[in-house]
């Protein structure tokens, strides 16, 4: 992911530049949560846009962990992680090489070995990397039930990692806990989840 050209925050529609080998490809599609510098494997078809030319329409994609030092450095220095710029990203990767992400996730205190990173900042960097991974997984989960990007972010901010159990067991809680979500929206989600029409949760919410 070289550059995000356009992004609609409401529905996740995104136009971006993807570098594949020596080729730079303009991609369009709906992306749950994504940042410049990330690696993805995308499936779809090429199409010719009358104004913008050849584009790759992404129908599905999977995130791939950066596989080499250059990709890891590009991701860390892309602005995706607050407080880590290009110079600091380069120092981190120079020290830990392809083991960088494992160090961040499993031994974050070792980041403090890098000049310019305190123990507190090391913990903050690790927390951000973990939070972004968790948020992305939650966005993908929520969107399969027809929840828009904007609402998905608010749902995750409200429930955190509890979101999976709440959506599967009682999505009517959204109508109680989140401003702007009413019974009808919760009922549509519940229908997609497969909750029965005579569910006690549905009756109480109604």
């Amino acid at each position: 992911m070289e550059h995000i050209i356009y992004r609609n925050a409401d529905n996740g529609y995104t136009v971006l530049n993807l570098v594949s080998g020596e080729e730079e490809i303009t991609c369009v599609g709906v992306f749950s949560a994504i940042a410049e510098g990330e690696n993805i494997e995308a499936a779809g078809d090429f199409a010719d846009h009358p104004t913008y030319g050849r584009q790759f329409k992404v129908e599905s994609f999977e995130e791939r962990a950066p596989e080499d030092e250059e990709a890891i450095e590009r991701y860390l220095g892309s602005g995706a992680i607050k407080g880590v710029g290009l110079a600091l990203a380069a120092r981190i990767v120079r020290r830990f090489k392809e083991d960088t992400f494992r160090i961040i996730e499993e031994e974050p205190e070792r980041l403090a070995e890098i000049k310019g990173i305190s123990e507190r900042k090391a913990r903050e960097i690790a927390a951000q990397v973990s939070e972004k991974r968790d948020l992305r997984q939650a966005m993908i989960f929520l969107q399969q039930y027809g929840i828009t990007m904007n609402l998905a972010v608010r749902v995750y901010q409200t429930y955190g990692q509890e979101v999976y159990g709440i959506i599967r067991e009682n999505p009517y809680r959204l109508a109680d806990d989140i401003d702007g979500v009413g019974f009808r929206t919760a009922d549509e989600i519940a229908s997609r989840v497969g909750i029965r029409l005579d569910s006690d949760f549905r009756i109480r919410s109604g």
Side-chain angles (χ1 to χ4, degrees):
M1 298 277 305
E2 186 71 17
H3 177 59
I4 294 174
I5 300 167
Y6 168 78
R7 181 164 177 79
N8 184 317
D10 290 329
N11 58 22
Y13 179 79
T14 306
V15 181
L16 57 91
N17 284 342
L18 185 71
V19 173
S20 178
E22 299 296 317
E23 189 178 8
E24 188 169 301
I25 303 166
T26 299
C27 298
V28 297
V30 175
F31 292 84
S32 49
I34 206 155
E36 292 174 359
E38 293 185 357
N39 280 6
I40 63 168
E41 183 176 304
D45 291 300
F46 282 100
D48 288 314
H49 191 283
T51 304
Y52 301 110
R54 192 168 183 253
Q55 296 179 332
F56 187 75
K57 290 191 170 183
V58 177
E59 294 172 2
S60 64
F61 75 96
E62 291 182 17
E63 184 188 357
R64 292 280 184 260
E67 295 177 351
D68 56 43
E69 294 175 28
E70 183 182 350
I72 295 170
E73 184 177 324
R74 187 188 302 133
Y75 173 68
L76 290 177
S78 69
I81 307 300
K82 187 178 177 183
V84 179
L86 291 171
L88 186 53
R91 291 204 297 275
I92 293 171
V93 176
R94 197 180 305 128
R95 180 63 173 268
F96 300 118
K97 300 185 171 20
E98 293 181 7
D99 211 22
T100 295
F101 274 117
R102 188 196 66 76
I103 294 292
I104 291 174
E105 292 175 1
E106 298 177 14
E107 304 176 72
E109 67 280 357
R110 290 190 59 193
L111 290 174
E113 298 171 14
I114 308 293
K115 184 180 178 182
I117 300 182
S118 63
E119 288 187 12
R120 178 180 175 184
K121 186 165 186 174
R123 289 193 297 270
E124 289 174 353
I125 291 170
Q128 285 187 72
V129 169
S130 175
E131 184 181 344
K132 285 183 178 298
R133 183 186 63 243
D134 293 345
L135 172 62
R136 188 175 299 107
Q137 290 170 346
M139 294 296 101
I140 293 168
F141 169 77
L142 291 168
Q143 287 185 307
Q144 69 181 315
Y145 297 115
I147 299 173
T148 64
M149 271 294 289
N150 244 0
L151 178 56
V153 171
R154 287 162 56 208
V155 170
Y156 183 75
Q157 288 173 342
T158 301
Y159 300 124
Q161 289 298 97
E162 294 179 20
V163 68
Y164 301 98
I166 289 169
I167 293 296
R168 291 186 179 116
E169 293 166 20
N170 180 17
Y172 294 99
R173 279 188 57 181
L174 274 65
D176 296 328
D177 300 338
I178 300 174
D179 286 341
V181 178
F183 173 81
R184 183 173 294 174
T185 299
D187 203 35
E188 288 174 359
I189 296 167
S191 174
R192 290 188 173 98
V193 172
I195 290 174
R196 300 192 323 272
L197 293 176
D198 62 351
S199 157
D200 288 345
F201 291 129
R202 184 173 191 264
I203 292 166
R204 280 200 294 271
S205 182

